[in-house]
Short mmCIF file of all heavy atoms in Angstrom, two decimals:
data_model
loop_
_atom_site.label_atom_id
_atom_site.label_comp_id
_atom_site.label_asym_id
_atom_site.label_seq_id
_atom_site.Cartn_x
_atom_site.Cartn_y
_atom_site.Cartn_z
N LEU A 69 6.60 -2.95 -1.69
CA LEU A 69 6.56 -1.58 -0.98
C LEU A 69 6.45 -0.53 -2.06
O LEU A 69 7.29 -0.44 -2.96
CB LEU A 69 7.92 -1.39 -0.20
CG LEU A 69 8.19 -0.05 0.48
CD1 LEU A 69 7.05 0.32 1.45
CD2 LEU A 69 9.47 0.01 1.18
N LEU A 70 5.39 0.26 -1.89
CA LEU A 70 5.08 1.33 -2.83
C LEU A 70 5.17 2.65 -2.17
O LEU A 70 4.55 2.90 -1.10
CB LEU A 70 3.74 1.17 -3.55
CG LEU A 70 3.35 2.25 -4.46
CD1 LEU A 70 2.66 1.72 -5.72
CD2 LEU A 70 2.58 3.36 -3.83
N ASP A 71 5.89 3.57 -2.79
CA ASP A 71 5.83 5.00 -2.33
C ASP A 71 6.27 5.91 -3.47
O ASP A 71 6.99 5.50 -4.30
CB ASP A 71 6.77 5.24 -1.11
CG ASP A 71 6.23 6.35 -0.26
OD1 ASP A 71 6.33 7.59 -0.69
OD2 ASP A 71 5.81 6.08 0.81
N TRP A 72 5.70 7.11 -3.47
CA TRP A 72 6.06 8.02 -4.57
C TRP A 72 7.30 8.95 -4.15
O TRP A 72 7.75 9.78 -4.92
CB TRP A 72 4.88 8.79 -5.18
CG TRP A 72 4.24 9.75 -4.29
CD1 TRP A 72 4.54 10.15 -3.04
CD2 TRP A 72 3.09 10.62 -4.73
NE1 TRP A 72 3.61 11.04 -2.59
CE2 TRP A 72 2.75 11.39 -3.48
CE3 TRP A 72 2.37 10.69 -5.83
CZ2 TRP A 72 1.69 12.27 -3.53
CZ3 TRP A 72 1.25 11.64 -5.80
CH2 TRP A 72 0.94 12.34 -4.68
N ALA A 73 7.65 8.82 -2.91
CA ALA A 73 8.85 9.44 -2.52
C ALA A 73 10.09 8.48 -2.63
O ALA A 73 9.95 7.30 -2.17
CB ALA A 73 8.77 9.89 -1.03
N LEU A 74 11.08 8.88 -3.28
CA LEU A 74 12.18 8.02 -3.61
C LEU A 74 13.04 7.66 -2.35
O LEU A 74 13.52 6.58 -2.15
CB LEU A 74 13.07 8.48 -4.78
CG LEU A 74 14.09 7.60 -5.41
CD1 LEU A 74 13.37 6.30 -5.87
CD2 LEU A 74 14.83 8.30 -6.52
N ALA A 75 13.19 8.71 -1.51
CA ALA A 75 14.13 8.63 -0.38
C ALA A 75 13.96 7.40 0.45
O ALA A 75 14.94 6.69 0.77
CB ALA A 75 14.13 9.93 0.43
N PRO A 76 12.79 7.14 0.90
CA PRO A 76 12.62 5.94 1.80
C PRO A 76 12.88 4.67 1.03
O PRO A 76 13.36 3.70 1.70
CB PRO A 76 11.20 6.03 2.29
CG PRO A 76 10.50 6.92 1.31
CD PRO A 76 11.55 7.94 0.76
N LEU A 77 12.57 4.59 -0.20
CA LEU A 77 12.80 3.34 -0.98
C LEU A 77 14.34 3.13 -1.12
O LEU A 77 14.82 1.96 -1.01
CB LEU A 77 12.14 3.50 -2.40
CG LEU A 77 10.64 3.66 -2.46
CD1 LEU A 77 10.09 3.66 -3.86
CD2 LEU A 77 9.89 2.58 -1.54
N GLU A 78 15.02 4.18 -1.32
CA GLU A 78 16.48 4.06 -1.45
C GLU A 78 17.14 3.57 -0.14
O GLU A 78 17.95 2.71 -0.11
CB GLU A 78 17.11 5.38 -1.98
CG GLU A 78 16.84 5.69 -3.36
CD GLU A 78 17.49 7.08 -3.75
OE1 GLU A 78 17.62 7.97 -2.86
OE2 GLU A 78 17.62 7.30 -4.99
N GLU A 79 16.57 4.23 0.85
CA GLU A 79 17.04 3.82 2.23
C GLU A 79 16.65 2.35 2.51
O GLU A 79 17.56 1.59 3.14
CB GLU A 79 16.30 4.73 3.24
CG GLU A 79 16.59 4.52 4.69
CD GLU A 79 18.13 4.69 5.01
OE1 GLU A 79 18.76 5.46 4.33
OE2 GLU A 79 18.55 4.05 5.95
N PHE A 80 15.52 1.95 2.11
CA PHE A 80 15.11 0.47 2.34
C PHE A 80 16.06 -0.38 1.57
O PHE A 80 16.54 -1.41 2.16
CB PHE A 80 13.64 0.30 1.86
CG PHE A 80 13.15 -1.08 2.14
CD1 PHE A 80 12.38 -1.25 3.36
CD2 PHE A 80 13.28 -2.15 1.39
CE1 PHE A 80 11.89 -2.49 3.64
CE2 PHE A 80 12.85 -3.36 1.62
CZ PHE A 80 12.11 -3.57 2.77
N GLN A 81 16.38 0.00 0.28
CA GLN A 81 17.26 -0.88 -0.44
C GLN A 81 18.65 -0.99 0.22
O GLN A 81 19.31 -2.03 0.18
CB GLN A 81 17.33 -0.41 -1.85
CG GLN A 81 18.04 -1.39 -2.83
CD GLN A 81 17.27 -2.58 -3.17
OE1 GLN A 81 16.37 -2.49 -4.05
NE2 GLN A 81 17.50 -3.71 -2.55
N ASN A 82 19.13 0.14 0.73
CA ASN A 82 20.46 0.15 1.40
C ASN A 82 20.38 -0.77 2.61
O ASN A 82 21.43 -1.46 2.93
CB ASN A 82 20.82 1.55 1.85
CG ASN A 82 21.13 2.45 0.69
OD1 ASN A 82 21.50 1.94 -0.35
ND2 ASN A 82 21.06 3.76 0.86
N ARG A 83 19.22 -0.71 3.39
CA ARG A 83 19.16 -1.56 4.60
C ARG A 83 19.17 -3.02 4.20
O ARG A 83 19.52 -3.83 5.03
CB ARG A 83 17.99 -1.05 5.39
CG ARG A 83 18.39 0.05 6.45
CD ARG A 83 17.20 0.37 7.36
NE ARG A 83 16.15 1.08 6.68
CZ ARG A 83 14.88 0.80 6.65
NH1 ARG A 83 14.39 -0.19 7.39
NH2 ARG A 83 13.96 1.50 5.97
N TYR A 84 18.35 -3.21 3.14
CA TYR A 84 18.04 -4.67 2.74
C TYR A 84 18.54 -4.96 1.27
O TYR A 84 17.70 -4.96 0.36
CB TYR A 84 16.62 -5.00 2.94
CG TYR A 84 16.07 -4.74 4.34
CD1 TYR A 84 15.53 -3.57 4.61
CD2 TYR A 84 16.37 -5.64 5.35
CE1 TYR A 84 14.99 -3.24 5.92
CE2 TYR A 84 16.01 -5.38 6.66
CZ TYR A 84 15.29 -4.14 6.97
OH TYR A 84 14.92 -3.89 8.25
N PRO A 85 19.87 -5.04 1.13
CA PRO A 85 20.40 -5.13 -0.22
C PRO A 85 19.91 -6.40 -0.96
O PRO A 85 19.87 -6.41 -2.21
CB PRO A 85 21.91 -5.13 -0.05
CG PRO A 85 22.13 -5.22 1.39
CD PRO A 85 20.83 -4.95 2.20
N ASP A 86 19.52 -7.35 -0.26
CA ASP A 86 19.00 -8.62 -0.87
C ASP A 86 17.52 -8.56 -1.30
O ASP A 86 16.97 -9.45 -2.03
CB ASP A 86 19.13 -9.82 -0.02
CG ASP A 86 20.62 -10.03 0.28
OD1 ASP A 86 21.44 -9.66 -0.50
OD2 ASP A 86 20.91 -10.73 1.34
N PHE A 87 16.83 -7.47 -0.85
CA PHE A 87 15.44 -7.31 -1.30
C PHE A 87 15.39 -6.98 -2.73
O PHE A 87 16.00 -6.05 -3.21
CB PHE A 87 14.76 -6.25 -0.44
CG PHE A 87 13.33 -6.18 -0.56
CD1 PHE A 87 12.46 -6.99 0.17
CD2 PHE A 87 12.65 -5.33 -1.45
CE1 PHE A 87 11.05 -6.97 0.01
CE2 PHE A 87 11.22 -5.27 -1.57
CZ PHE A 87 10.48 -6.18 -0.86
N PRO A 88 14.47 -7.68 -3.48
CA PRO A 88 14.41 -7.50 -4.96
C PRO A 88 14.03 -6.08 -5.31
O PRO A 88 12.87 -5.63 -4.84
CB PRO A 88 13.36 -8.47 -5.48
CG PRO A 88 13.13 -9.44 -4.37
CD PRO A 88 13.52 -8.73 -3.15
N PRO A 89 14.80 -5.33 -6.02
CA PRO A 89 14.49 -3.91 -6.44
C PRO A 89 13.15 -3.84 -7.21
O PRO A 89 12.46 -2.84 -7.02
CB PRO A 89 15.63 -3.53 -7.36
CG PRO A 89 16.79 -4.47 -6.99
CD PRO A 89 16.17 -5.66 -6.57
N SER A 90 12.81 -4.92 -7.86
CA SER A 90 11.49 -4.95 -8.65
C SER A 90 10.32 -4.86 -7.69
O SER A 90 9.24 -4.63 -8.11
CB SER A 90 11.41 -6.16 -9.55
OG SER A 90 11.50 -7.28 -8.69
N GLN A 91 10.59 -5.14 -6.35
CA GLN A 91 9.46 -5.16 -5.34
C GLN A 91 9.44 -3.87 -4.63
O GLN A 91 8.64 -3.71 -3.67
CB GLN A 91 9.53 -6.34 -4.55
CG GLN A 91 9.16 -7.67 -5.20
CD GLN A 91 9.40 -8.95 -4.53
OE1 GLN A 91 9.92 -9.91 -5.12
NE2 GLN A 91 9.07 -9.03 -3.38
N LEU A 92 10.21 -2.88 -5.06
CA LEU A 92 10.07 -1.49 -4.50
C LEU A 92 9.59 -0.71 -5.64
O LEU A 92 10.11 -0.48 -6.72
CB LEU A 92 11.52 -0.98 -4.14
CG LEU A 92 12.26 -1.71 -3.08
CD1 LEU A 92 13.61 -1.23 -2.92
CD2 LEU A 92 11.42 -1.61 -1.71
N ILE A 93 8.25 -0.20 -5.45
CA ILE A 93 7.57 0.49 -6.56
C ILE A 93 7.62 1.99 -6.26
O ILE A 93 6.95 2.45 -5.35
CB ILE A 93 6.12 -0.08 -6.67
CG1 ILE A 93 6.08 -1.56 -6.70
CG2 ILE A 93 5.45 0.60 -7.94
CD1 ILE A 93 4.67 -2.12 -6.67
N HIS A 94 8.25 2.67 -7.11
CA HIS A 94 8.34 4.15 -7.02
C HIS A 94 7.25 4.74 -7.93
O HIS A 94 7.48 4.88 -9.11
CB HIS A 94 9.72 4.65 -7.43
CG HIS A 94 9.87 6.11 -7.28
ND1 HIS A 94 10.58 6.85 -8.21
CD2 HIS A 94 9.36 7.00 -6.42
CE1 HIS A 94 10.44 8.15 -7.88
NE2 HIS A 94 9.82 8.29 -6.78
N LEU A 95 6.06 5.01 -7.41
CA LEU A 95 4.96 5.33 -8.19
C LEU A 95 3.89 5.95 -7.39
O LEU A 95 3.65 5.73 -6.28
CB LEU A 95 4.34 4.09 -8.80
CG LEU A 95 3.30 4.16 -9.91
CD1 LEU A 95 3.91 4.69 -11.20
CD2 LEU A 95 2.71 2.69 -10.27
N ASP A 96 2.98 6.83 -8.15
CA ASP A 96 1.78 7.32 -7.49
C ASP A 96 0.81 6.11 -7.22
O ASP A 96 0.57 5.40 -8.23
CB ASP A 96 1.19 8.39 -8.40
CG ASP A 96 -0.16 8.89 -7.89
OD1 ASP A 96 -0.67 8.43 -6.89
OD2 ASP A 96 -0.69 9.82 -8.51
N PHE A 97 0.38 5.96 -6.17
CA PHE A 97 -0.53 4.80 -5.81
C PHE A 97 -1.68 4.73 -6.82
O PHE A 97 -2.08 3.63 -7.22
CB PHE A 97 -1.05 4.97 -4.42
CG PHE A 97 -2.20 4.21 -3.96
CD1 PHE A 97 -2.09 2.75 -3.83
CD2 PHE A 97 -3.47 4.73 -3.91
CE1 PHE A 97 -3.19 2.02 -3.48
CE2 PHE A 97 -4.54 3.91 -3.57
CZ PHE A 97 -4.47 2.55 -3.34
N PHE A 98 -2.24 5.91 -7.18
CA PHE A 98 -3.43 5.93 -7.99
C PHE A 98 -3.02 5.48 -9.49
O PHE A 98 -4.07 5.34 -10.32
CB PHE A 98 -4.01 7.28 -7.92
CG PHE A 98 -4.62 7.64 -6.57
CD1 PHE A 98 -3.89 8.36 -5.76
CD2 PHE A 98 -5.77 7.03 -6.18
CE1 PHE A 98 -4.40 8.61 -4.34
CE2 PHE A 98 -6.31 7.25 -4.88
CZ PHE A 98 -5.63 8.02 -4.01
N ALA A 99 -1.79 5.39 -9.78
CA ALA A 99 -1.41 4.96 -11.12
C ALA A 99 -1.05 3.45 -11.09
O ALA A 99 -0.79 2.95 -12.21
CB ALA A 99 -0.19 5.74 -11.61
#
Side-chain angles (χ1 to χ4, degrees):
L69 171 60
L70 177 142
D71 208 289
W72 66 3
L74 190 57
L77 300 183
E78 289 178 335
E79 179 59 27
F80 187 94
Q81 190 72 82
N82 289 339
R83 269 185 289 132
Y84 303 100
D86 295 336
F87 190 82
S90 60
Q91 289 172 224
L92 295 175
I93 310 174
H94 180 221
L95 189 69
D96 180 354
F97 165 73
F98 294 99

